[in-house]
Amino acid sequence: MIKFSAVPVLAMLIAAGPGQAAPGDAADARAILEKGVAFDTVKGRGKVPAYAEYLKSALVGAGFAAGDIAIEPVGETANLHLVWKGKGNKPPMAITGHMDVVEADPKDWVRDPFKAIEDGGYLFGRGVGDNKFDVSMVVATLAKLKSSGFVPGRDIHLFLSGDEETDGTTAVLQAKQAKAAGVDFMLNSDGGGGALDTGNTPIGYGLSAAEKTYVDYRITVTNPGGHSSRPTSPNAIAQIGTAAGKISDYRFKPQINHITRASLTAEGTKIGGAMGAAMLAFAKNPSDAAAIATLSAAPGGIGQIATTCVPTMITGGHAPNALPQKAELTINCRIFPGFTVAAVTQELRALISDPAIKIEAVLEWPSPPPSPLRGDIMAAVGKAVSANRPGVAVTPVMDSGASDSVFYRALGIPSYGTSALFMREEDAFAHGLNERIPLAAIAPALRHWQVLITELAK
Ligand SMILES: [Zn+2]
């Protein structure tokens, strides 16, 4: 159980405005984050249920009834679902996050990945950013609001999933529970967020309102094989190589939606130059060939204007002196929102145009359209961002996929990535080695969630 310390430390750096609830205590929030990192909630280790119990104890310690928090086992992992009953008759809102983390091999890390360690103003540890930072900040904020007597004007559902980084099965269950509860919209703590320049000056905040669909394809060729001294045609490795070349060179038809139009316009205006001009030109006319050429040539541009598919893994053959009996290629695609996996499969099949080659989608998410840019959400996020960083613009963005939001959007629940974390590009090591967050991010994050939740649950 968490003890809520009587001495706020970093939180005092940010004064509460008149009539506003004070944000949660930074020392308490940091303790929740540090304890959370110590649960190595990697797939297969069975630690998510214990972490869920720990978070539940923090919420119960702040005054929530144990009966309002369900921990549902799902295989070796688990889901956490808190229902905070509100007054009034607005439909419920939901906040989501995930409790699992990506694998981390201690041998490769400078520090123990499953111990939160402070160093040089940062907190290091696997999951300290993705997604235990925002999960801890949300839990600390809800706890603080509860213990200070706040009563929401609508029901608030907190859904924490247990396998976002791998199978994504737990969020499917929670999205259905959200739908059944009549949830009006969802705030995903594992999406969006702010950017700082190298000098820690905020340069913008991205509100994630759309997501590309992640799909892996397995492309296989099998041949009878034979002795390498008696070559025959076709050769399985050559067939797969030809297919890989075609896919690598292929460009899907450019697309635009209301989210990418807004983000390209904002980004283009900000960055200027040839790239900025191309973004603005494309936003105005998505068939502008020169703009498409410029954007397609940039790694950060091509994914924003079209579906992309790239070869990522290849295997084949079984002996140096034998004709290959089998060759296999993995293609990873990020499908533009609203387009189906089936349509992309068909396009790849036509492109490869070799009936001997088998194409199958091995891992796929749904492909829902973007969420609408609702006035209430935009206003609340704007207020939360400017509470910490006045004048910083909120720009709608499309993520390259995939998060739990797709399962909610697929059921028609508008979903928004609203992480409270502001990071410098060079500090972003989510999924990678030596993941870290700046300790100075904690106090503003508590303010962010406190404003967001109290605004939307007035
Ligand atoms: Zn994540």
Side-chain angles (χ1 to χ4, degrees):
M1 189 178 292
I2 290 293
K3 280 206 293 300
F4 285 87
S5 120
V7 190
V9 187
L10 289 171
M12 287 172 68
L13 295 173
I14 295 180
Q20 287 180 320
D25 177 72
D28 291 335
R30 177 176 168 172
I32 294 174
L33 176 57
E34 290 187 346
K35 285 186 185 144
V37 169
F39 293 92
D40 50 338
T41 51
V42 170
K43 180 181 176 172
R45 295 196 200 168
K47 299 290 180 62
V48 173
Y51 179 42
E53 288 293 348
Y54 165 69
L55 293 174
K56 178 177 175 175
S57 74
L59 291 162
V60 170
F64 286 102
D68 292 341
I69 305 166
I71 295 175
E72 176 190 6
V74 185
E76 55 100 21
T77 186
N79 278 339
L80 182 150
H81 181 195
L82 159 74
V83 185
W84 188 358
K85 282 277 169 206
K87 53 182 172 14
N89 48 18
K90 279 194 213 166
M93 61 180 270
I95 305 170
T96 69
H98 65 87
M99 297 180 284
D100 60 310
V101 295
V102 172
E103 180 63 275
D105 188 343
K107 286 200 300 291
D108 301 333
W109 281 53
V110 175
R111 304 159 194 84
D112 181 350
F114 299 108
K115 191 165 178 239
I117 296 170
E118 179 181 354
D119 195 349
Y122 292 91
L123 200 61
F124 288 81
R126 168 57 86 224
V128 74
D130 182 10
N131 174 216
K132 286 176 176 171
F133 178 79
D134 277 287
V135 163
S136 306
M137 298 306 121
V138 168
V139 166
T141 301
L142 292 172
K144 173 71 184 186
L145 288 172
K146 179 74 179 179
S147 63
S148 64
F150 175 79
V151 179
R154 66 203 310 167
D155 292 359
I156 299 175
H157 290 252
L158 173 66
F159 290 106
L160 300 179
S161 65
D163 63 349
E164 192 270 352
E165 299 289 7
T166 53
D167 304 329
T169 56
T170 54
V172 175
L173 302 173
Q174 292 189 314
K176 284 183 192 150
Q177 291 160 1
K179 186 75 186 169
V183 163
D184 183 33
F185 63 87
M186 176 273 250
L187 304 177
N188 189 345
S189 72
D190 188 35
L196 303 172
D197 68 12
T198 48
N200 284 316
T201 303
I203 47 181
Y205 183 89
L207 165 73
S208 172
E211 201 162 6
K212 294 178 92 177
T213 300
Y214 179 111
V215 190
D216 287 327
Y217 284 98
R218 188 189 300 128
I219 298 190
T220 326
V221 187
T222 50
N223 280 341
H227 201 281
S228 63
S229 64
R230 301 158 55 84
T232 53
S233 199
N235 176 295
I237 290 175
Q239 283 171 288
I240 280 292
T242 302
K246 283 182 181 170
I247 293 165
S248 177
D249 291 343
Y250 189 65
R251 294 290 170 264
F252 285 80
K253 187 173 183 291
Q255 307 291 343
I256 197 160
N257 60 38
H258 64 277
I259 305 301
T260 57
R261 181 171 280 116
S263 59
L264 288 166
T265 303
E267 186 70 8
T269 308
K270 196 164 70 190
I271 67 170
M275 183 55 68
M279 288 175 170
L280 294 175
F282 184 82
K284 228 176 255 156
N285 173 17
S287 44
D288 183 319
I292 292 168
T294 304
L295 289 167
S296 298
I302 186 165
Q304 287 298 309
I305 63 164
T307 294
T308 59
C309 290
V310 284
T312 52
M313 296 201 291
I314 189 161
T315 57
H318 56 283
N321 57 356
L323 297 174
Q325 289 168 3
K326 188 177 180 185
E328 196 175 285
L329 179 68
T330 301
I331 299 291
N332 177 245
C333 298
R334 308 296 171 117
I335 301 179
F336 203 82
F339 290 82
T340 64
V341 174
V344 172
T345 309
Q346 210 167 37
E347 201 163 338
L348 288 176
R349 196 163 277 143
L351 171 68
I352 294 169
S353 69
D354 182 343
I357 295 184
K358 201 170 125 198
I359 303 176
E360 52 188 332
V362 282
L363 185 60
E364 63 179 86
W365 268 260
S367 40
S371 296
L373 291 178
R374 283 171 46 157
D376 56 344
I377 306 286
M378 294 302 287
V381 174
K383 201 165 175 183
V385 169
S386 59
N388 288 309
R389 321 207 188 242
V392 169
V394 173
T395 307
V397 295
M398 174 177 76
D399 286 338
S400 54
S403 82
D404 287 344
S405 293
V406 291
F407 304 114
Y408 292 76
R409 288 198 190 106
L411 298 181
I413 300 172
S415 301
Y416 305 93
T418 58
S419 167
L421 192 53
F422 270 76
M423 291 273 275
R424 302 187 306 166
E425 179 85 41
E426 57 263 51
D427 291 337
F429 291 100
H431 295 199
L433 278 179
N434 307 317
E435 185 175 349
R436 63 183 178 178
I437 56 104
L439 280 163
I442 293 177
L446 294 171
R447 163 70 72 197
H448 177 96
W449 282 109
Q450 176 254 328
V451 172
L452 204 47
I453 293 168
T454 52
E455 273 301 304
L456 288 166
K458 278 201 277 229

